[in-house]
Amino acid sequence: MTPDSLLPGHAKSDAQHAREMCVAGRWMYERSFIVACEGNLSVRLADGRILTTPTCMNKGMLSPEDLVITDLEGRQVAGDRKVSSELAMHLLFYRMRPDVNAVCHAHPPTATGFAVAGSALNKALLPEVIVGLGQIPLVQYATPGTPELSAALEPFVPHYDALLLANHGAVTCGTDLLTAFFRMETIEHCAKITLAAELAGEPVLLSGREVAKLMAARPRYYVSPPPGGGAELPMTNEGGESAEDRVTLTRDELDALIDEAVRKDRSRR
Ligand SMILES: [Zn+2]
């Protein structure tokens, strides 16, 4: 199977989705986004049920018959193997985001290094990442596979397509499996470049003006941001200026301040 067969936009049978999930699992394993039995993938099928990878198996070595189908509440409806405890995280995306049809969870080592260090990938460094994802926030730690992790994720899910999970890994979503997988690749690539930049010197952040231009260019790249809106923009070279730090003056107020400064300066001479 070639990557072309994962192109989005075609109505696919359950069997096609299953074959593609096995390919995406192999890509995740071959790129070292996961090792051993880590990570999981899921897809929303045409009838609304969820196709997903099983627990305790290497996701790079799966066959379609290893996969499991559940309903939106996580009740297993097909497949012989056991469903992953991390499925709850996937179901959260499907319940909150009607636009999402695939979820990808992995532990890519460089990005997970940032997540372990408590660092989001939230700086305005790379145009591709800004256009595609805005930024990649860090979700606070909670035990994997528990309702606490879903609760920590919930405020982020409507607004972002890619998230770091503190001391754990990363999760991405998309309209199809290829898009969700590409977003996982982008996270790891961005983390590697950020790390290299930090080793090479001081990373140079883009300005708010440049970020605004990239955001405005999104339709040109066929990027549709999460329908929830409200995502925070990446940190720019204007520094971590918050709304409280910002002072807005009218033209008259500014003129008055300048006049006063000039008067004081003259009176000192
Ligand atoms: Zn995990």
Side-chain angles (χ1 to χ4, degrees):
M1 189 185 292
T2 64
D4 286 352
S5 63
L6 292 182
L7 283 173
H10 305 285
K12 290 170 184 163
S13 68
D14 293 1
Q16 274 175 303
H17 280 298
R19 283 196 298 274
E20 292 180 3
M21 189 168 286
C22 297
V23 172
R26 205 170 68 224
W27 288 349
M28 293 228 295
Y29 185 54
E30 286 170 354
R31 283 159 178 75
S32 298
F33 294 174
I34 47 171
V35 297
C37 298
E38 297 177 357
N40 25 75
L41 296 165
S42 68
V43 160
R44 197 198 309 255
L45 298 172
D47 63 4
R49 295 180 306 163
I50 308 300
L51 177 74
T52 184
T53 50
T55 191
C56 297
M57 280 195 81
N58 182 296
K59 309 310 179 296
M61 305 172 187
L62 292 174
S63 304
E65 55 272 21
D66 294 321
L67 303 180
V68 176
I69 297 178
T70 76
D71 63 17
L72 210 51
E73 274 70 53
R75 287 183 291 255
Q76 191 158 342
V77 294
D80 297 329
R81 298 194 180 271
K82 198 168 165 276
V83 70
S84 164
S85 62
E86 287 187 312
L87 181 68
M89 177 166 68
H90 297 238
L91 297 176
L92 181 72
F93 278 88
Y94 295 123
R95 280 199 293 267
M96 297 187 81
R97 296 272 304 266
D99 62 307
V100 163
N101 293 314
V103 175
C104 182
H105 167 58
H107 310 147
T110 314
T112 303
F114 277 85
V116 167
S119 295
L121 291 167
N122 61 353
K123 297 193 179 107
L125 296 174
L126 297 163
E128 290 275 349
V129 178
I130 297 166
V131 169
L133 297 172
Q135 60 147 295
I136 305 144
L138 177 71
V139 177
Q140 70 176 45
Y141 180 78
T143 312
T146 64
E148 288 74 42
L149 180 56
S150 294
L153 273 161
E154 212 175 300
F156 294 91
V157 169
H159 314 295
Y160 299 94
D161 292 323
L163 297 165
L164 288 181
L165 309 173
N167 294 78
H168 182 174
V171 60
T172 59
C173 64
T175 50
D176 55 80
L177 190 55
L178 189 65
T179 304
F181 172 78
F182 279 169
R183 285 174 174 157
M184 187 61 74
E185 268 196 323
T186 299
I187 291 186
E188 180 64 354
H189 202 58
C190 171
K192 283 181 180 169
I193 293 170
T194 303
L195 180 63
E198 285 173 356
L199 291 172
E202 182 80 13
V204 177
L205 274 63
L206 297 176
S207 67
R209 192 179 152 77
E210 291 302 333
V211 169
K213 275 157 68 180
L214 292 168
M215 291 301 184
R218 277 179 156 182
R220 258 205 335 265
Y221 297 98
Y222 303 100
V223 173
S224 22
E232 269 186 49
L233 292 175
M235 199 186 294
T236 60
N237 67 6
E238 285 85 2
E241 183 192 57
S242 68
E244 300 92 77
D245 295 333
R246 209 170 298 139
V247 176
T248 311
L249 295 174
T250 64
R251 183 80 229 175
D252 285 346
E253 286 165 342
L254 179 64
D255 286 345
L257 277 173
I258 293 168
D259 286 346
E260 195 189 327
V262 169
R263 247 195 333 272
K264 276 185 186 161
D265 189 50
R266 279 203 192 115
S267 65
R268 268 203 297 273
R269 283 181 200 168

